Amino acid sequence: MNISLRLSALFFLFILLSLRVSAQQKYTLNDFYRVDSIANQAKPKDALALVEKINQAAKKENNAPLLIKSVIYRMMFQSYLEENAFDKILVDLRTDISNAKQPEKSILQSLLAEMYWNYLQQNRWKIGSRTEVQGDIGNDIKTWSIKKLNEETIKYYLLSLKEAKILQQTKVDVLDAVLAGDKNNRNYRPTLYDLLAHRAIDVFSNTQINLTQYDDDSIDMSNAAWFGNRQVFLAIELTNDSTLFKPQALQLFKNLIRFHQNSNNFSALADVDLKRLKFIQQNFSSYDQELYNNALSNLAEQSTQTEVYADILYEQALMHKNAQLSVDTNKQNLLTAVALAKKAIEGYPKSIGAQNAENLIRQIKSSELSIKIKRYIQPDKPAQLYLSYKNTDTVHIRLFKAPESQNDYEQFKNKNDFLAFFNQNKVIKKWFVIVPKTSDYQSHTLIDKIDGLPFGNYTLIAQTVNHEQKDTVYSNINFKVTAMAVINRRNIEKHEYFVSQLSNGAPLKNVKIQQQRYDYNKRKYINGDLITTNENGYATTNETDGNMSFAVATFGKDELKLNINNYNTYRDDEDKERVILFTDRPIYRPGQTIYYKGICLRSKDGKNNIEVNKALEVFLMMLTVRK
């Protein structure tokens, strides 16, 4: 009986243990597919609950990828579910950091630094405009100043790199499940130390930092030695101030270069050295592109065995493309850029540098075309046609009658609208212009002519075909053929027009001007006042409705439509005085005599009158600039 009871108790205990073991579910990265599925069912709370379970399991198992991914997912759902989630996210992340081991701790510290930085970027204006809180402000980020946020950002980025030896011995592949991008390029960031150091450098290199007023003065960035080779760069002393972005960025470059010199990873070494040169060029106090180009050439010679060689050649090609070097004044810079880009492609055809080089060549060899003509030209007289072109030998030109509804400011709404007009409207005239053949990839200009045309509105479309890139380039412009020049303005409670001959400016009499406005009730344009110019070419109307859209001036067969604006309804009835002073020069030497003159104006009813014989006092004040 006792034996039977004992066996029953043991069997019952075995069942309990089995149940307990089965209840301890083991989570993997595949469980995030379940999280996504639950979230897609509009159940974010359930998804967050599962993420919390995964997070707890990851902590117990010291599973770095699972922990990092669960933290990222948790922050995402918290920000969605909670109104003031940022504070809760920070508290949870700080707790995770305090409990985490390496290398998870460093990764989370870098993540926290990024959160501080992003918060500053999103709220910089709000933070900068409020009164700074003095004394101990604690952990409430809403009370932090810009300086405090910058300090915390630097602090945690540097803390994330504190355990350098451990991070340098940890391959970045441990985060394979949470890293995005092409795995083939991970040889540039082979360890966690590389990944976290480059994350910090990307923030420390930000041009909009303005961390402190003395940041730029902490280092002499006019020293050409910054562009020296690695050994020269490593020998330059840096300030130990851990609150400054720029010195910390340079120190991280030094650390990475020393690390990869010892590890013999030439790809990562060349990559960080190229990034170092870009950073120095960006912050160099003198605009000396030659130093940068020479440094790139030296680095290219040392990097021929790595794909970074293609990146370096691309950077040099880009400089020549933008004509940044003294040699580029000979207009052969684009040829040099193409040659360097081709060299990059030939060296490492499957590299990112080669892809960038291919895009650069495609951009340089692309065709460009622009056509210009005066907006108003005289009838039955030839007019000049201005062509600007690149990488083409023939320009085909077609002339169309412009539709009445054509907008002067927006010729076509989109490409489909343009092509529909091009294919559906009748061509009045077409011809082609053979332009001088060039092979320098530069933009060139040519002046051609268009024969005389009768009154009317016209659209001119120029077209060229780039056979190498199988692309067609268009340029279009609207113009009007008229003998009239019309000026109009709103003057207080009337609208004035002045019409003259386009050829010589002589006033035109008996020009009829029909105003039109848009009726929103009838949803159409209706006629307003019809006025006629006098012998001075002048006409006026008291019709100043704000809905007045345009006017049509007619003189015989000549008709000209012009946009008008009657929204200027401001009127200052007050009697005001003002003085305008003029000096004989903008800047004076100490002790030099200042000569000045002034006009006193009185404004009333929109008219200015010069005040005469009025005595005024003039004061000379010295402006004191305080910093």
Side-chain angles (χ1 to χ4, degrees):
M1 183 71 178
N2 291 334
I3 295 174
S4 176
L5 287 172
R6 188 178 299 172
L7 289 173
S8 300
L10 288 173
F11 182 74
F12 182 70
L13 180 63
F14 176 77
I15 292 174
L16 286 176
L17 289 172
S18 300
L19 290 172
R20 186 174 179 183
V21 169
S22 62
Q24 293 177 348
Q25 181 177 351
K26 186 176 181 63
Y27 292 100
T28 67
L29 289 167
N30 289 331
D31 286 298
F32 286 101
Y33 292 115
R34 290 173 54 201
V35 174
D36 293 334
S37 176
I38 294 171
N40 290 334
Q41 297 173 29
K43 299 178 180 179
K45 289 185 178 180
D46 295 341
L48 178 59
L50 178 56
V51 169
E52 292 283 9
K53 292 179 182 179
I54 297 173
N55 181 262
Q56 294 301 319
K59 290 177 182 177
K60 291 179 181 179
E61 299 168 11
N62 293 324
N63 188 327
L66 200 65
L67 176 62
I68 301 304
K69 194 161 187 175
S70 66
V71 169
I72 295 172
Y73 265 70
R74 185 186 66 200
M75 291 190 299
M76 178 179 66
F77 285 113
Q78 284 177 331
S79 63
Y80 176 78
L81 288 170
E82 301 180 28
E83 185 176 352
N84 297 313
F86 195 76
D87 292 334
K88 174 74 166 120
I89 291 172
L90 287 180
V91 170
D92 289 345
L93 187 53
R94 288 167 183 156
T95 303
D96 288 337
I97 291 172
S98 64
N99 297 328
K101 299 178 181 180
Q102 291 293 349
E104 299 95 313
K105 190 183 196 75
S106 290
I107 298 168
L108 294 175
Q109 286 170 329
S110 180
L111 190 59
L112 179 58
E114 182 184 12
M115 288 192 66
Y116 287 148
W117 177 248
N118 289 337
Y119 180 84
L120 174 58
Q121 299 311 298
Q122 295 166 9
N123 299 277
R124 180 180 290 272
W125 181 86
K126 184 193 299 182
I127 299 170
S129 60
R130 72 190 180 200
T131 303
E132 185 173 339
V133 179
Q134 301 298 324
D136 184 12
I137 53 180
N139 291 326
D140 186 0
I141 195 172
K142 295 185 182 68
T143 64
W144 287 4
S145 65
I146 291 177
K147 186 174 184 296
K148 172 70 173 175
L149 279 164
N150 280 323
E151 289 173 351
E152 291 297 308
T153 299
I154 293 180
K155 172 185 172 182
Y156 278 94
Y157 270 126
L158 295 182
L159 282 174
S160 73
L161 297 165
K162 186 177 180 180
E163 300 294 335
K165 189 172 182 180
I166 295 175
L167 297 173
Q168 290 170 358
Q169 293 173 349
T170 306
K171 299 299 182 184
V172 76
D173 294 337
V174 300
L175 294 179
D176 186 70
V178 295
L179 289 177
D182 189 353
K183 291 184 180 181
N184 296 326
N185 296 317
R186 289 188 187 171
N187 57 322
Y188 300 134
R189 311 284 188 271
T191 69
L192 275 182
Y193 183 80
D194 291 282
L195 178 66
L196 298 180
H198 279 279
R199 277 172 55 85
I201 287 173
D202 289 341
V203 171
F204 294 171
S205 304
N206 192 292
T207 57
Q208 299 179 353
I209 286 172
N210 296 324
L211 176 60
T212 61
Q213 293 180 351
Y214 55 90
D215 189 26
D216 286 337
D217 299 330
S218 62
I219 301 177
D220 179 15
M221 292 305 295
S222 64
N223 187 357
W226 290 112
F227 288 104
N229 60 32
R230 295 164 193 149
Q231 300 310 315
V232 173
F233 170 68
L234 292 175
I236 300 176
E237 293 186 3
L238 296 172
T239 177
N240 292 323
D241 194 337
S242 61
T243 64
L244 301 179
F245 277 47
K246 194 179 298 179
Q248 292 304 325
L250 291 168
Q251 186 59 55
L252 287 179
F253 280 121
K254 283 189 173 188
N255 296 345
L256 284 167
I257 289 173
R258 288 194 181 101
F259 169 49
H260 287 300
Q261 280 182 328
N262 296 329
S263 67
N264 293 322
N265 187 328
F266 299 111
S267 294
L269 179 61
D271 178 68
V272 71
D273 212 5
L274 174 59
K275 194 170 184 176
R276 184 259 303 187
L277 291 176
K278 289 181 180 179
F279 175 81
I280 291 171
Q281 175 62 16
Q282 175 182 295
N283 292 277
F284 199 61
S285 56
S286 173
Y287 188 79
D288 192 337
Q289 300 292 329
E290 304 296 335
L291 284 172
Y292 181 45
N293 186 56
N294 293 336
L296 289 176
S297 296
N298 294 332
L299 181 59
E301 292 177 5
Q302 302 171 17
S303 309
T304 54
Q305 301 304 312
T306 76
E307 289 187 352
V308 181
Y309 177 70
D311 293 301
I312 300 168
L313 293 179
Y314 166 74
E315 289 296 324
Q316 290 186 298
L318 194 60
M319 292 179 70
H320 284 289
K321 186 259 181 185
N322 295 328
Q324 294 176 309
L325 301 172
S326 58
V327 70
D328 294 333
T329 56
N330 60 6
K331 296 297 183 181
Q332 300 299 302
N333 59 302
L334 295 180
L335 291 170
T336 305
V338 169
L340 285 168
K342 286 182 176 179
K343 191 174 179 181
I345 296 169
E346 292 168 0
Y348 292 92
K350 295 182 179 180
S351 66
I352 295 177
Q355 294 174 21
N356 292 332
E358 288 176 354
N359 292 332
L360 185 65
I361 291 175
R362 192 176 298 111
Q363 182 182 354
I364 291 173
K365 289 188 174 182
S366 66
S367 294
E368 294 179 3
L369 179 63
S370 175
I371 187 168
K372 293 182 180 180
I373 192 173
K374 289 183 178 180
R375 186 177 178 185
Y376 302 102
I377 64 174
Q378 297 180 55
D380 303 320
K381 289 187 177 181
Q384 287 184 329
L385 198 61
Y386 301 87
L387 294 173
S388 176
Y389 61 92
K390 182 171 83 80
N391 298 330
T392 187
D393 53 12
T394 306
V395 178
H396 297 269
I397 303 174
R398 291 173 174 83
L399 181 67
F400 300 85
K401 268 282 190 181
E404 180 65 27
S405 59
Q406 189 78 12
N407 190 315
D408 290 340
Y409 303 104
E410 184 183 281
Q411 295 176 353
F412 298 103
K413 294 180 180 178
N414 49 50
K415 185 177 180 180
N416 291 334
D417 189 24
F418 164 77
L419 292 175
F421 174 86
F422 183 78
N423 294 319
Q424 296 173 9
N425 285 271
K426 181 180 180 181
V427 178
I428 298 174
K429 183 180 180 181
K430 62 180 179 179
W431 70 99
F432 62 88
V433 179
I434 298 177
V435 300
K437 189 174 183 179
T438 60
S439 58
D440 55 8
Y441 308 121
Q442 302 282 348
S443 294
H444 298 272
T445 58
L446 179 72
I447 297 178
D448 197 44
K449 76 165 187 174
I450 182 170
D451 293 332
L453 296 168
F455 295 123
N457 301 324
Y458 296 90
T459 294
L460 202 60
I461 297 180
Q463 170 191 3
T464 189
V465 179
N466 188 317
H467 296 287
E468 181 178 347
Q469 298 187 357
K470 298 179 181 179
D471 185 31
T472 302
V473 181
Y474 297 92
S475 177
N476 61 281
I477 191 169
N478 283 0
F479 66 97
K480 305 174 190 291
V481 177
T482 178
M484 296 183 290
V486 183
I487 300 173
N488 77 96
R489 69 170 183 174
R490 168 74 182 274
N491 187 3
I492 309 301
E493 294 183 349
K494 59 184 178 180
H495 202 106
E496 299 175 317
Y497 296 86
F498 177 76
V499 185
S500 62
Q501 295 184 33
L502 185 63
S503 59
N504 56 21
L508 276 175
K509 183 181 179 181
N510 294 328
V511 177
K512 289 181 170 50
I513 301 174
Q514 175 69 68
Q515 290 198 146
Q516 292 192 341
R517 62 182 177 85
Y518 188 75
D519 190 316
Y520 287 95
N521 294 323
K522 297 181 179 179
R523 296 184 179 276
K524 67 177 183 179
Y525 288 99
I526 61 175
N527 289 335
D529 282 355
L530 176 64
I531 54 178
T532 305
T533 59
N534 59 20
E535 63 277 2
N536 296 318
Y538 177 82
T540 183
T541 176
N542 292 325
E543 184 182 50
T544 56
D545 190 321
N547 293 329
M548 204 62 62
S549 303
F550 57 86
V552 178
T554 306
F555 189 67
K557 295 181 179 180
D558 192 359
E559 185 176 282
L560 182 61
K561 182 178 178 180
L562 58 146
N563 294 309
I564 61 175
N565 179 11
N566 274 320
Y567 285 99
N568 182 20
T569 58
Y570 173 77
R571 175 174 175 175
D572 191 357
D573 294 325
E574 295 184 9
D575 192 359
K576 289 187 177 181
E577 248 182 20
R578 60 193 177 105
V579 175
I580 303 173
L581 290 175
F582 305 88
T583 58
D584 61 327
R585 60 185 64 190
I587 300 175
Y588 296 87
R589 294 189 299 272
Q592 192 173 10
T593 303
I594 299 174
Y595 294 94
Y596 69 93
K597 61 182 178 180
I599 299 176
C600 181
L601 298 175
R602 180 177 295 277
S603 301
K604 189 172 183 180
D605 295 335
K607 294 182 179 180
N608 292 320
N609 294 302
I610 298 176
E611 293 283 276
V612 297
N613 299 325
K614 187 174 183 66
L616 297 172
E617 286 186 280
V618 178
F619 296 91
L620 181 63
M621 302 177 65
M622 179 179 293
L623 295 178
T624 301
V625 180
R626 295 182 180 180
K627 293 185 178 180

